[in-house]
Amino acid sequence: MSGSQPPVLGPLLDPARIAVARRMLAEVSGPAAYDRLSGLAARLVGAGHAKITLFTDQDLVVGGHGLPPGVVGGPALLTGAFSAMVVTSGLPLAVPDARADPDVADLPAVTSGQVGAYLGSPLVTASGHVVGVLALYDAEPRPWSGDEAELLRQLASSVVAELELAAANADAAWSARRLGVALEASSVGIWEVDLRAGFIDWDERSAAIFGVDQATRVPMDRLFAEFVHPDDRDSSQRTMTEAVEARAQYTVELRILRRDGKVRWIVCRGRVLTGPDGAAQRILGTVLDVTDARNQARSRLAAVQRAAAIAAVAAEVANATGIGELADITLRGAEVLGAVSGGVAVREPGDDERVRVHLGRRILDVVRAEVGEVPSGGVLVDLDDALPTQYTARTGERVVLSSVEEGIARFPAMAPWTEVLGLRALASLPLVVEGRLLGSFVAYWTTDHAFDAEELRLLEGLTAQITLSVSRLQADADRDRAVAAVTEANQRLELLAEAGRVLSGTMDIGEQLQRLASLVVPRLGDWCWIVSTDEHGRLRETASAHRDPAREEFVAEYVSRMVRTVTPEGAPRRVFRTGQPLVVRDLTPERIASVVSDPQAKAMLVELAPSSVAAVPLTIRGQTVGVLCLLNGADRGPHPAADVETAVEIGRRAGMALHHARLYGQQRALADALQRSMLTEPPAIEDCEVVVRYVPAAEGAEIGGDWYDAFEQATGTTVLAIGDVVGHDTRAAAAMGQVRGLLRGISYSSGGSPARVLTELDRALAGLALRTMATAVIAHLEPQDGGGALLRWSNAGHPPPVLVGADGAVRLLDVAEADLLLGVDPGFTREDRTVPVERGATVLLYTDGLVERRDRDIDAGTEELLEVLRECGGLPLEQLCDEVLRRLFLPDAEDDVAVLAVRLT
């Protein structure tokens, strides 16, 4: 690697991963929670030791079970190497026998006897970083099942959730600190300095103090040069620098130069915040225009004290976990201004007609005394203009009522409530964020109350905090709903995709639907059955499954009885009749009694205790070819609409698969019958044993062009023939029949030699315009004086015959240059070749599908055939042919095979 290229860091040294791990580790409050989780993992799996390790730039055990004293809180020592492997790969590690595993056998933890079996699962954060490992280990070897690995993975997710929760709580505490600093100066202005980038961000109020129209960002050098009074620049800059060096808080009072040229006094309070490495990163602070306060110190001091009280309440608001909490929390701030109670009204998502009102404690007590119990989740009321709460929530307008007379004059419907609550004054402020009106915040007084500008600003600041919390809580709820919806949708899509794989994995109808039944249980139901019809339209059971494997045979027996005795009201009949899904949310005993006529089937259904049913059709182009029925027990309850929709879609896919499988079966049977009809049984020939075999290709419904033949010429000569027409379709099969018929006729009538017959056959193909090509071997067995025979043969581009001598010697009857295949050149001169064949010898003719396939060329296949014949040549001829096919013909072969074997007796 050249010096100009950065080094490649492994996962253990990845800075981003280390930073995330450090953030998690910084918030680990103690080992208790992690001891419980690791102990739970060890007990559930039955392991002796468990530990949770976090990896920053070094490993640290944060919890464990069965560990020696002092391990938790320190490095993992010997077992750390296993954990490092998991973090590096990011994948689970299962080692059933560490001493026998060459990858880990030399690790100190193994050689010391500490680890004989190890199972580790990575701790993966939501950001995708591996921060540590949850591991189980024993001193002795033991197997790890898939369920145990999955259990450990799920518990690892719980560990990550615990870590991320601690980090999230730390972030919330960070936010509370930021809020507290921002509100120390009565929320007049909030700013933030990025010390690394060298700029300051002002919110709208801060910007307004400096005479800028909107929130803005200003480089730090411009801040002091353009906005700070020359007499205050050095002192204020020195104060900030000292605070940064000390990582401390600071307060500075100085003069500023506004954009409009005016000079104003401000007080800035700042707090220096550090990063995980302890370096100063940011300054959070507030700015307050104190120009008037310098002349009105007493009143300003009181306002600051009230603001401080509200700031404390605002910090609680920022950490609220539910909208219902806000009513009481915010009213503690309003009490600083003399308010008694009130509430928070939030518009319902997707409902423009209603608002949900959450009442404060005192007003809630009064309402309960008047109207009875109030729902804990708030009260839904119409969104109208009758009362200030709803009016503000609808219009976004602030309502300030200083007296009861003013309130009743504007909102007559307030009159009854003024008496019940003792209400005299009221402030209703809108909750608005980014232009969206979320609702309103209302506080009321039991005395007339004149609102000054400072009080309204404080109420607005408090309302702003409520708005942010409401927006955050709604966003969290929306996110949770969205995540749940996406998760559910993904699960349905995964189920549909898996159903597609199951249905396309085989063309056997029974196996297809049994796999489907096992797939949908228990995802869509506690148990299920699938029925279809035969060619006569009669119901037949096809598949069934139950979430309890011990009950599957019982369910299968019930389905067998049910299809024979189901009534027109039963799910199979109704769905076949209507072609529509049938959903029964409450399966009553009366309905159970009406669906089957057989008492035994009724009793079995009662014992299975279904409480709800969802039956969907298996359809293809509008035709129902089967029914899938899902049944739930009382504990699970009715099928959700989403599950029914998923089942309907599975029914469409299953219907198509069922239809295709039936067509495939019909075509396959037809093809096989047609092919075999063209292959006759060999004749009985004196002093010869003839055995033939034909095996169709494993896949596809096409018929091929492989054929064999054995017959006697008019002269009494025995003719052996084998061939293969080019192609694997009906055209090839048709051509095969023609070629075979021509060869038989030419050979029988002419009595010619093999070469002569092939020559005449080639001319006939050209003369009759058959336009096909084929390979073939024709051989004559010519008896010889003294026993034995002479094999005379001619080869038209076909794999050569094999001669197995009586002594077991194997010889390939090959030639240097094979003759052309048929259908290429009708004028080609063909030759006869001869070889003596003794009694007990065997001649084997075969097609290329026996020795050639995708993963093996023909030369390797031929050599394998010769090796099999050397080993098995002495077997009886029937067994020999079977053994050759067993060892050379694969179950997933893509080509047909024909074999013709002759043995002289």
Side-chain angles (χ1 to χ4, degrees), residues 255-540:
R255 286 161 290 181
I256 63 167
L257 303 175
R258 287 171 49 91
R259 287 289 194 193
D260 57 9
K262 295 180 181 179
V263 176
R264 302 288 290 181
W265 279 94
I266 63 169
V267 172
C268 283
R269 290 183 174 86
R271 177 176 294 170
V272 178
L273 303 178
T274 62
D277 58 357
Q281 292 186 350
R282 296 179 294 164
I283 307 176
L284 294 178
T286 60
V287 57
L288 177 67
D289 189 331
V290 295
T291 305
D292 297 332
R294 291 171 66 88
N295 300 321
Q296 303 173 9
R298 184 174 300 174
S299 60
R300 184 61 65 189
L301 178 60
V304 171
Q305 290 172 339
R306 290 188 301 182
I310 292 179
V313 175
E316 291 187 60
V317 170
N319 291 315
T321 58
I323 294 176
E325 300 176 21
L326 299 178
D328 281 331
I329 294 174
T330 56
L331 284 171
R332 288 199 290 274
E335 286 170 356
V336 178
L337 303 176
V340 175
S341 188
V344 176
V346 180
R347 294 169 68 106
E348 284 286 279
D351 188 348
D352 295 332
E353 304 297 329
R354 295 185 297 176
V355 64
R356 188 176 295 276
V357 180
H358 301 269
L359 303 174
R361 208 169 24 252
R362 178 167 175 175
I363 191 172
L364 186 59
D365 293 339
V366 174
V367 172
R368 282 173 175 163
E370 290 292 322
V371 300
E373 191 58 41
V374 177
S376 59
V379 181
L380 277 174
V381 298
D382 293 337
L383 194 59
D384 54 28
D385 297 344
L387 294 172
T389 304
Q390 294 94 298
Y391 176 81
T392 300
R394 188 184 70 81
T395 65
E397 296 182 17
R398 184 177 72 183
V399 175
V400 177
L401 304 172
S402 299
S403 66
V404 66
E405 293 79 14
E406 181 183 357
I408 294 175
R410 185 169 178 186
F411 298 97
M414 282 181 57
W417 293 105
T418 59
E419 297 180 9
V420 173
L421 300 174
L423 184 153
R424 298 290 300 176
L426 178 144
S428 179
L429 293 89
L431 308 178
V432 181
V433 60
E434 297 180 352
R436 293 186 297 116
L437 179 59
L438 304 182
S440 61
F441 163 58
V442 179
Y444 80 89
W445 285 253
T446 55
T447 61
D448 290 350
H449 189 84
F451 297 89
D452 61 28
E454 182 62 28
E455 287 178 337
L456 291 175
R457 280 197 294 272
L458 291 174
L459 282 171
E460 288 175 351
L462 192 57
T463 303
Q465 294 304 319
I466 299 171
T467 303
L468 291 175
S469 292
V470 170
S471 178
R472 172 178 59 82
L473 292 169
Q474 287 185 337
D476 289 346
D478 290 343
R479 183 191 64 229
D480 292 343
R481 285 191 293 269
V483 168
V486 169
T487 300
E488 184 178 346
N490 285 340
Q491 289 173 344
R492 290 199 298 270
L493 290 174
E494 288 175 4
L495 179 59
L496 290 174
E498 197 168 347
R501 289 192 293 271
V502 163
L503 292 169
S504 62
T506 177
M507 294 303 289
D508 181 271
I509 294 175
E511 185 178 353
Q512 270 186 349
L513 297 184
Q514 186 56 53
R515 289 181 183 179
L516 180 62
S518 300
L519 175 66
V520 299
V521 171
R523 299 190 191 184
L524 299 181
D526 288 338
W527 57 288
C528 82
W529 49 256
I530 304 174
V531 300
S532 62
T533 55
D534 59 20
E535 61 273 15
H536 303 294
R538 294 173 299 199
L539 287 178
R540 63 177 183 182

Side-chain angles (χ1 to χ4, degrees), residues 517 520-521 526-530 543-546 555 559 628-631:
V520 299
V521 171
D526 288 338
W527 57 288
C528 82
W529 49 256
I530 304 174
S544 61
H546 196 287
V555 170
V559 177
L628 164 63
C629 185
L630 303 163
L631 302 100

Side-chain angles (χ1 to χ4, degrees), residues 446-737:
T446 55
T447 61
D448 290 350
H449 189 84
F451 297 89
D452 61 28
E454 182 62 28
E455 287 178 337
L456 291 175
R457 280 197 294 272
L458 291 174
L459 282 171
E460 288 175 351
L462 192 57
T463 303
Q465 294 304 319
I466 299 171
T467 303
L468 291 175
S469 292
V470 170
S471 178
R472 172 178 59 82
L473 292 169
Q474 287 185 337
D476 289 346
D478 290 343
R479 183 191 64 229
D480 292 343
R481 285 191 293 269
V483 168
V486 169
T487 300
E488 184 178 346
N490 285 340
Q491 289 173 344
R492 290 199 298 270
L493 290 174
E494 288 175 4
L495 179 59
L496 290 174
E498 197 168 347
R501 289 192 293 271
V502 163
L503 292 169
S504 62
T506 177
M507 294 303 289
D508 181 271
I509 294 175
E511 185 178 353
Q512 270 186 349
L513 297 184
Q514 186 56 53
R515 289 181 183 179
L516 180 62
S518 300
L519 175 66
V520 299
V521 171
R523 299 190 191 184
L524 299 181
D526 288 338
W527 57 288
C528 82
W529 49 256
I530 304 174
V531 300
S532 62
T533 55
D534 59 20
E535 61 273 15
H536 303 294
R538 294 173 299 199
L539 287 178
R540 63 177 183 182
E541 72 275 14
T542 304
S544 61
H546 196 287
R547 68 183 309 155
D548 181 1
R551 306 215 72 180
E552 289 195 347
E553 289 188 10
F554 187 80
V555 170
E557 184 180 351
Y558 161 72
V559 177
S560 178
R561 289 178 175 272
M562 181 269 294
V563 296
R564 297 194 301 270
T565 63
V566 64
T567 69
E569 290 304 309
R573 299 291 187 194
R574 288 190 59 176
V575 175
F576 265 110
R577 188 168 63 248
T578 65
Q580 298 297 319
L582 172 65
V583 178
V584 181
R585 301 182 64 82
D586 184 13
L587 190 60
T588 63
E590 293 76 16
R591 189 175 184 95
I592 289 178
S594 70
V595 298
V596 286
S597 59
D598 177 42
Q600 182 64 28
K602 289 180 184 179
M604 296 177 75
L605 184 56
V606 170
E607 183 175 345
L608 288 166
S611 66
S612 60
V613 173
V616 299
L618 313 186
T619 58
I620 176 69
R621 291 191 292 274
Q623 179 186 1
T624 301
V625 296
V627 177
L628 164 63
C629 185
L630 303 163
L631 302 100
N632 281 348
D635 292 342
R636 184 163 183 167
H639 299 81
D643 285 0
V644 176
E645 291 175 5
T646 303
V648 169
E649 180 59 30
I650 289 176
R652 294 193 186 99
R653 301 184 183 201
M656 183 176 297
L658 182 60
H659 177 70
H660 288 168
R662 285 179 173 174
L663 288 180
Y664 171 83
Q666 294 167 357
Q667 294 170 354
R668 184 75 179 180
L670 177 62
D672 189 52
L674 178 60
Q675 184 86 28
R676 294 185 183 279
S677 69
M678 298 181 183
L679 302 174
T680 57
E681 289 295 323
I685 301 174
E686 186 178 357
D687 297 330
C688 287
E689 181 183 2
V690 182
V691 174
V692 294
R693 292 287 186 269
Y694 172 75
V695 185
E699 298 294 334
E702 296 126 353
I703 54 179
D706 291 28
W707 54 274
Y708 59 78
D709 205 352
F711 56 91
E712 290 185 340
Q713 288 180 327
T715 60
T717 301
T718 298
V719 179
L720 308 175
I722 196 163
D724 184 2
V725 174
V726 175
H728 296 282
D729 52 21
T730 53
R731 180 179 299 178
M736 178 267 285

Side-chain angles (χ1 to χ4, degrees), residues 174-337:
W174 182 287
S175 298
R177 287 171 54 199
R178 175 178 175 179
L179 180 61
V181 173
L183 295 175
E184 283 177 0
S186 72
S187 295
V188 173
I190 302 174
W191 51 266
E192 180 177 351
V193 173
D194 188 327
L195 294 171
R196 295 168 299 181
F199 58 74
I200 184 170
D201 283 314
W202 289 333
D203 68 358
E204 291 183 357
R205 294 191 181 191
S206 294
I209 290 173
F210 287 84
V212 179
D213 294 334
Q214 58 186 2
T216 189
R217 173 175 290 180
V218 178
M220 291 298 291
D221 56 348
R222 284 183 53 204
L223 172 70
F224 288 94
E226 298 178 16
F227 294 93
V228 178
H229 193 281
D231 294 341
D232 296 331
R233 287 174 187 165
D234 291 340
S235 60
S236 59
Q237 199 163 10
R238 184 169 55 255
T239 299
M240 179 182 290
T241 301
E242 291 172 354
V244 170
E245 293 174 351
R247 314 293 193 267
Q249 303 180 51
Y250 70 96
T251 302
V252 60
E253 188 173 0
L254 70 153
R255 286 161 290 181
I256 63 167
L257 303 175
R258 287 171 49 91
R259 287 289 194 193
D260 57 9
K262 295 180 181 179
V263 176
R264 302 288 290 181
W265 279 94
I266 63 169
V267 172
C268 283
R269 290 183 174 86
R271 177 176 294 170
V272 178
L273 303 178
T274 62
D277 58 357
Q281 292 186 350
R282 296 179 294 164
I283 307 176
L284 294 178
T286 60
V287 57
L288 177 67
D289 189 331
V290 295
T291 305
D292 297 332
R294 291 171 66 88
N295 300 321
Q296 303 173 9
R298 184 174 300 174
S299 60
R300 184 61 65 189
L301 178 60
V304 171
Q305 290 172 339
R306 290 188 301 182
I310 292 179
V313 175
E316 291 187 60
V317 170
N319 291 315
T321 58
I323 294 176
E325 300 176 21
L326 299 178
D328 281 331
I329 294 174
T330 56
L331 284 171
R332 288 199 290 274
E335 286 170 356
V336 178
L337 303 176

Side-chain angles (χ1 to χ4, degrees), residues 101-138:
D101 190 329
D103 293 334
V104 300
D106 295 332
L107 294 180
V110 180
T111 58
S112 68
Q114 184 175 352
V115 176
Y118 180 92
L119 179 63
S121 185
L123 303 180
V124 185
T125 65
S127 61
H129 293 94
V130 180
V131 298
V133 180
L134 170 59
L136 301 171
Y137 63 93
D138 276 323

